Amino acid sequence: MSKSNNFFSTLQWFIYLLANSIALPVVIGNVFHLSDAAISDLMQRTFFIVGLSSFIQLKFGHRFPIADGPAGSWVSIFVIFAGVGAEQGLTMKETLQTLEAGLILAGMLLLLLGVSKWVRHLLFLFSPLVTGCFLFILAIQLSGVFIKGMVSINPLTGQIDKVSFFAAILVFFLIIFLSTKGKGWLKSYAILIGIVCGWVLLLIFGKSSQSISYSASWIKFPEIFPWGYPHMTSGILITSILFTFLLISNTFAAISAAADTIPNQQTSLEVRLYKGTCAGGLSHILSAVFSTIAVVPLPATAGFVKITKQYRIFPFAAACGVLMAFSFFPGAVSLLASLPLSVASAALLATLIDMLSIGIRSLTKQPLNDRNIAIIGISLLLGIGTMFLPADGLNGLPYVIQNLGKNGLLVGTFMAILLEQIWKEKQPSTTI
C-alpha cells in the first residue's frame, strides 16, 4: 500500500472521527449554559477521549476499526438531568458532577460484565430482531440530529441559510453518487471528497461556522475533573444501572454491523464482545475523569466502512493518534472546529443509509411471521413515537420514569427485548 494511500485513508478517518465529535459538545455546552471558553475546552477533551477510546478499542477491545464517538443516547440523559437538576434547585455544575458519577458507575458495571464474562449470559437478549430494532431506531434518531445540523438558521434574519443548506444537500448526494457509481479512489474517498467540496463551497460564499473562543496557550493538556468531583444520587444510580443494558446493546450492534461489513475475520463475536465491553467500561470512566460526554462505539461506522472500503487497521490507528495529538493544541482545536456543521451533518447522514440497511437485514434474518411483525411494529412505533413527545410531556412522573421514558431508543430497544422474551413462538406439534 503506497504512502499516499495511507495518508489519504488516515485523513479520511481523521475527518470522520472529527465530524462525529464536533456537534454534541456544542449541544451540551448550550444546555448547561457553559461559556464559549468552557465549550472549547469541552471540545478539546472530547477530541482527546474520542481518539484515546477508539485506539483502546482497536488495540485491546473489539479490535475492529470502529470509531468511538459521543453517545447520542447519553446526551438525552444529560439534557433530562439538566431540567431535573434545575427543578431540584441544583446548579448546573452540581448536575454535571452527578452525571460524572453516573458515567463512572456505568463504566464499572461494563468492566465487571466484561472481565467476568457475565455479559455472555445476556447475549440471548440481543437477537437479530432486537439488534435490528436498535439499529433502525438509532438511524431514525440520528437522522433527526443530522438533518437539524444541515439546516442552518441565519441569526440576523431568523430564516434558513439557503447557501449552507444547498451545500449540505450537495454534499449528501455527492457522497451517495460517488459511493455507488464511483470507481477506484473516487469510491474509496467519497466522504472526504464530499466534505472538502462542501467546505470549499461555503468558503467561496463567505460562510463560516460559529467562532469558538479558546485558550491563548500554545499547548494545553486536557484537564481532570474540570466540572468538579463526582456526586452520586439515587436518581443517577438507578438510571445508570438500567442504561448499562442499552450500552451493551449498542456495543453488540456496532460489533455485529462491523462483522457484516468487514471480511476475513478470525476472532469470534463473543470474544470481541467481552473485550469490547471491558474497553467500553474503561472509556466511560475516562470520560468521567476528563468531564466529557461518554463515548461509545458508533454502529454507523459500518456504513462508513462499507462506503469507503477502509478495512485496514493502520490508517484508523494513525487517525486516532492524530486526533489525540491535535487536542493538545487549542489553536488546532479551534481550526478543526471550524468545519461547518451543515457539511459534517450531511456527510454523517449519508453513512446512515448503510447502517439502516444493516438493521433491515437483521430484522429479516428471522421469518416475518405474525409474531415477529407484531414485535417489530410495537417496538418501532413506541420507540420512534416517544421521540416526538414534548419536553415536558412526562412531568409529574417519578424522575427515573422521566429519564427512561424520554429516550426513544431506550424505550424501543427494551420493548423489543421484553416482547421477544415473553412472547415465545409456538413449536409445531407433532403427531404420531
Side-chain angles (χ1 to χ4, degrees), residues 19-69:
N20 276 292
S21 309
I22 287 177
L24 294 185
V26 176
V27 172
I28 291 300
N30 289 324
V31 168
F32 285 90
H33 309 298
L34 301 180
S35 65
D36 288 345
I39 292 176
S40 180
D41 289 342
L42 174 59
M43 191 171 289
Q44 177 205 22
R45 299 193 302 272
T46 301
F47 289 166
F48 176 72
I49 288 296
V50 165
L52 177 60
S53 180
S54 298
F55 183 80
I56 289 174
Q57 284 283 12
L58 181 69
K59 187 69 175 178
F60 307 106
H62 50 62
R63 296 181 180 271
F64 275 139
I66 303 175
D68 274 24

Side-chain angles (χ1 to χ4, degrees), residues 102 166 255 306 342 368 372 381 391 409 425:
F166 172 77
I255 293 173
K306 189 172 182 180
S342 59
L368 293 179
N372 291 343
L381 288 174
L409 184 61
E425 287 189 276

Side-chain angles (χ1 to χ4, degrees), residues 9 37 48-49 65 71 75 78 80 90 123 161 178 192 200 212 231 248 259 273 282 299 319 330 338 386 418:
S9 297
F48 176 72
I49 288 296
V75 169
F78 271 63
I80 292 166
L90 299 177
L123 284 178
D161 188 326
L178 291 178
L192 177 60
V200 169
I212 297 178
H231 174 67
I248 296 172
L273 182 61
L282 179 59
S338 68
T386 300
L418 184 64

Side-chain angles (χ1 to χ4, degrees), residues 394-431:
L394 299 179
N395 286 359
L397 295 176
Y399 290 129
V400 173
I401 296 179
Q402 289 188 44
N403 296 339
L404 301 179
K406 292 180 180 179
N407 191 316
L409 184 61
L410 195 63
V411 170
T413 304
F414 273 13
M415 185 56 62
I417 291 174
L418 184 64
L419 291 175
E420 178 87 320
Q421 297 307 310
I422 293 177
W423 190 348
K424 297 298 184 181
E425 287 189 276
K426 291 183 179 179
Q427 298 297 326
S429 58
T430 58
T431 57

